[in-house]
Amino acid sequence: MIIRSWLFVPGDSEKKMAKGRENAADALILDLEDSVSDDRQDIARELTLAFLKANPDRSRQQLWVRINPLDSDLSLPDLAAIMGGAPDGIVIPKVKTAADINRLADYIRILEIREGVPEGQTKILSVATETAESLLTFPTYLENVTPRLSALTWGGEDLSAALGASSNRNPATGGYDDVFLYAKSMCLATARAVDAQPVGVVYVDFRDLEGLEAECLRDRQSGFIGKAAIHPAQSEVINRAFTPSDEEIEHAQKVVQVFEDNPGLGTVGLDGKMLDMPHLKQARNTLELAKQIADRG
Ligand code: COA
Ligand code: MG
C-alpha cells in the first residue's frame, strides 16, 4: 500500500499519539529513538505497545515503530517489547549496510512467531543515509535484501553529524549541499532498484507549509512517493502533493488509450507531442498510484 504521509510521533507521549490517530497521516511512526530521552525508554515502550494494541484497525492509518539503531543495546529490547502490538512495520535508523536490514528481518521473524503475528506481515522502512558507511554501501541492497523492505528514506540531520558537517545547506543556494544531494539521489535510485517506495526527507521547518509543499512537489517530480512529517499540520499538505490531480489522471488515461488504439507502435503522437515507452510507463505509474490512493478510501 502506498503511504503518502508518515508522521513521527514521540512514543512516550500518550497525548501526541492520540492526536496522531485523528490526523490525516497515512501512517504514524511511533518513535522510540531520538525523540525519547534515555530515562523514558521503558515508559515509551509500554505506552507504544498499549497504543498499538488499542488500535488494531489499520485500514485508514498504519502504525509503524522506529526502534533504536541495531548497534545500540536498546534496539532488541525495543523490538521485543512492541512486536506483540503487531506494528505494520519497523523503521530502522542509522543503517550501515543492507546486512542490517536482513538481520532485523530475522529478529522480526522470530518475534512474529512468538507473538502469533502472521509471518512476513511486518514491513521495514530503512532510514538509509544517517551514517558515513551508508553512503558507501548502497550496492549491498541489490544482494538479496529481504522482501520485508518496503520503503527507504534518507536523512540530512544525523548525516551532518556523522560527516562532521556544521550545516547541511549550500550557502549559495539555501538548498542541500552536495553530499546530501548525493545521499538523496542514492536513496531514490536504490529504492527504485529494489522495488521499494522512495520516501522524501522530513521538512524540518514545520511552520513553513508553503516551503513544505514546494519541496513535496520537487520530491515527487524526482520520483519520490510520500514524505516523512514531524508535525500534524504537515500531513494534509503532503497527502495533497502526492495525490495525482484530476488533470494528471486524465492525461495519463489519454496516453494509455492512444497506445491501446495503436497496437504494435512504440512511438505515437498526442496533442502534437511525441510519446514513447517511458511516457507509457509513467502514465501507468500515475494511474496505479491514483488507484492505490482511491482504494484506501
Ligand atoms: N504528533 C502528534 N501530535 C503532535 C505532534 C506530532 N508529531 N507535534 C505536535 N503535536 C501536537 C501538540 O501536542 C499540540 O497539541 P495540542 O494543540 O493538543 O496542545 C499540537 O499538535 C500543536 O503543536 P505545536 O504547539 O504547533 O508544536 P509543539 O511545539 O507542541 O511541538 C515538536 C513541536 C517539534 C516538538 C513536535 O512537533 C514533535 O514532537 N514532533 C515530532 C518530533 C519527532 O518525532 N522527531 C523524531 C523524528 S525526526
Ligand atoms: Mg534522528
Side-chain angles (χ1 to χ4, degrees):
M1 181 166 62
I2 294 290
I3 295 171
R4 295 163 299 176
S5 45
W6 306 71
L7 175 61
F8 277 100
V9 185
D12 65 342
S13 171
E14 270 181 297
K15 181 181 157 222
K16 284 182 180 169
M17 287 194 281
K19 203 162 174 95
R21 198 59 182 150
E22 292 163 9
N23 184 257
D26 289 341
L28 301 184
I29 300 177
L30 310 173
D31 188 25
L32 298 178
E33 197 212 6
D34 285 348
S35 63
V36 175
S37 61
D38 285 357
D39 60 329
R40 290 187 55 82
Q41 202 64 34
D42 286 335
I43 182 83
R45 287 175 189 145
E46 271 171 41
L47 291 175
T48 298
L49 175 64
F51 184 75
L52 289 166
K53 285 189 163 166
N55 293 281
D57 179 4
R58 315 283 169 73
S59 51
R60 187 191 67 81
Q61 181 186 67
Q62 293 196 356
L63 299 178
W64 291 55
V65 177
R66 179 166 74 171
I67 61 169
N68 276 282
L70 281 194
D71 61 5
S72 125
D73 292 340
L74 301 174
S75 57
L76 273 176
D78 284 349
L79 196 59
I82 56 86
M83 279 298 293
D88 295 282
I90 300 297
V91 178
I92 178 75
K94 301 183 181 64
V95 169
K96 292 179 178 160
T97 97
D100 290 350
I101 316 281
N102 288 339
R103 193 147 58 93
L104 173 63
D106 289 343
Y107 296 148
I108 289 175
R109 178 154 182 253
I110 295 168
L111 292 168
E112 281 177 343
I113 292 166
R114 188 189 74 180
E115 301 293 344
V117 171
E119 253 185 271
Q121 174 177 286
T122 319
K123 302 299 177 201
I124 298 175
L125 163 66
S126 168
V127 190
T129 71
E130 291 187 314
T131 62
E133 291 95 321
S134 68
L135 297 193
L136 308 171
T137 60
F138 274 106
T140 61
Y141 282 85
L142 275 61
E143 300 160 11
N144 291 319
V145 76
T146 168
R148 289 179 193 271
L149 179 68
S150 69
L152 269 79
T153 190
W154 63 287
E157 307 307 316
D158 290 284
L159 184 58
S160 303
L163 297 177
S166 56
S167 163
N168 54 30
R169 299 287 154 173
N170 176 336
T173 63
Y176 279 106
D177 212 344
D178 297 352
V179 71
F180 301 92
L181 293 177
Y182 172 79
K184 174 184 177 184
S185 304
M186 292 301 283
C187 172
L188 172 65
T190 305
R192 290 297 182 180
V194 300
D195 205 16
Q197 178 180 338
V199 177
V201 73
V202 167
Y203 188 78
V204 283
D205 186 359
F206 59 84
R207 303 271 178 235
D208 176 13
L209 296 181
E210 273 179 30
L212 170 65
E213 184 178 19
E215 194 172 278
C216 287
L217 295 174
R218 179 83 203 278
D219 280 358
R220 186 168 161 215
Q221 182 186 311
S222 319
F224 285 92
I225 300 176
K227 199 168 181 67
I230 48 167
H231 190 279
Q234 293 185 316
S235 308
E236 280 185 12
V237 176
I238 295 173
N239 286 352
R240 204 173 342 111
F242 286 95
T243 303
S245 65
D246 291 348
E247 295 86 73
E248 285 171 310
I249 293 171
E250 206 176 298
H251 177 74
Q253 283 165 338
K254 271 168 102 178
V255 172
V256 170
Q257 190 63 48
V258 73
F259 278 100
E260 277 174 9
D261 292 347
N262 295 279
L265 279 191
T267 314
V268 294
L270 178 68
D271 302 334
K273 293 217 174 74
M274 190 274 295
L275 297 177
D276 57 9
M277 286 303 125
H279 298 103
L280 178 59
K281 194 171 173 199
Q282 193 63 37
R284 287 193 175 131
N285 286 345
T286 300
L287 294 178
E288 177 57 29
L289 183 60
K291 182 176 177 304
Q292 288 203 28
I293 292 167
D295 284 353
R296 68 178 306 144

